[in-house]
Amino acid sequence: MDGVGSFGAGRAGSTIDPIAFAKQPQTILRVLSWIFSLVVFASIVNEGYVNMGSERLHCVFNKNADACNYGVFVGLVGLMACSFFFLLDYKFSSISSVKDRKKAIMLEIGFSGFWAFLYFVSFCFLANQWSRTTADELPLNQGADAARAAIAFSFFSIITWAGLTVRAVQKYLLGTDMTLFTTEHMDGGAPTQPYPSNSPVGGTTEATETYQSPPFTENNAAPTYQVPIY
């Protein structure tokens, strides 16, 4: 990709190759993070609560509702964040402002690193509560597979979100190749067209009027008066 100095993207407004975009490591990690977040969220919502002989549903993680709520929150927000950053990655090359590109990269670094930490907390929290869950609390082993899936994919999410953080940091460290942008791009404004030049080098020439002498010159002066001789 040309212009890799502009935070890992090409020139502003350059065309995007969907196949090349799909093969990027960042895109692959983004899709995996989306799938893992979906599994964590769906596992707890669909089978994370069991009925213990009453109308009230209990969380499979040691009947701790906070564990299920936390897993649902991390999975759902991670799912939406992956969708948002996926679109941002696809449209990143069309961002003409250097400042906007830098803000987007810093947002991705902060969020990806923070969400990797939250998934680490989710893994530790769910694994701890599951280890305290007894067989009597899960008759017929209800929700066991969903609980294990939520724990396992929380761990996998730590890896993918950490990888996204590393990729974002690498893009940030690439910095900006200032030759790819004009002053208007740096300020976030649209580039303006320069005025046409009269120089032949600029490709624009204008016909110039040749200088002409005034219609009356000294040669056309009136003849001198002569006194007649009688």
Side-chain angles (χ1 to χ4, degrees):
M1 182 180 295
D2 59 340
V4 294
S6 55
F7 294 105
R11 294 176 180 271
S14 60
T15 58
I16 302 174
D17 185 3
I19 298 178
F21 174 77
K23 293 180 179 180
Q24 292 180 0
Q26 183 170 342
T27 304
I28 298 174
L29 288 173
R30 190 84 64 195
V31 173
L32 290 176
S33 298
W34 189 90
I35 296 174
F36 296 164
S37 297
L38 178 63
V39 172
V40 173
F41 170 74
S43 298
I44 299 177
V45 170
N46 293 332
E47 301 181 20
Y49 296 89
V50 295
N51 191 335
M52 303 295 295
S54 62
E55 296 181 355
R56 183 178 180 181
L57 296 177
H58 298 277
C59 179
V60 295
F61 295 99
N62 196 28
K63 296 182 179 181
N64 189 343
D66 293 335
C68 287
N69 293 336
Y70 184 83
V72 169
F73 168 75
V74 174
L76 179 59
V77 177
L79 187 66
M80 294 186 296
C82 285
S83 302
F84 170 76
F85 283 110
F86 182 85
L87 294 177
L88 182 62
D89 291 340
Y90 189 78
K91 296 293 184 180
F92 190 78
S93 296
S94 62
I95 301 177
S96 59
S97 174
V98 178
K99 295 180 180 179
D100 291 341
R101 286 192 177 192
K102 184 176 181 180
K103 291 178 182 179
I105 294 297
M106 294 181 65
L107 175 63
E108 183 178 359
I109 293 175
F111 187 89
S112 298
F114 180 64
W115 225 248
F117 171 75
L118 290 187
Y119 264 117
F120 174 75
V121 175
S122 175
F123 170 73
C124 295
F125 188 22
L126 297 182
N128 177 265
Q129 293 301 307
W130 179 246
S131 64
R132 298 183 179 182
T133 304
T134 61
D136 297 336
E137 297 176 351
L138 296 177
L140 301 179
N141 208 24
Q142 296 181 12
D145 293 338
R148 296 189 184 97
I151 296 173
F153 283 93
S154 292
F155 176 78
F156 297 151
S157 296
I158 300 173
I159 300 175
T160 56
W161 283 98
L164 289 171
T165 305
V166 173
R167 292 292 301 176
V169 171
Q170 290 176 347
K171 290 171 63 177
Y172 181 82
L173 293 179
L174 287 176
T176 304
D177 184 1
M178 302 308 295
T179 61
L180 302 179
F181 299 90
T182 61
T183 305
E184 289 80 6
H185 283 145
M186 295 178 60
D187 297 334
T192 57
Q193 297 294 334
Y195 290 102
S197 175
N198 293 332
S199 174
V201 179
T204 303
T205 59
E206 294 182 356
T208 58
E209 297 181 357
T210 59
Y211 177 79
Q212 297 180 355
S213 60
F216 300 100
T217 60
E218 295 180 357
N219 296 331
N220 296 331
T224 56
Y225 176 75
Q226 297 180 358
V227 180
I229 301 175
Y230 296 99

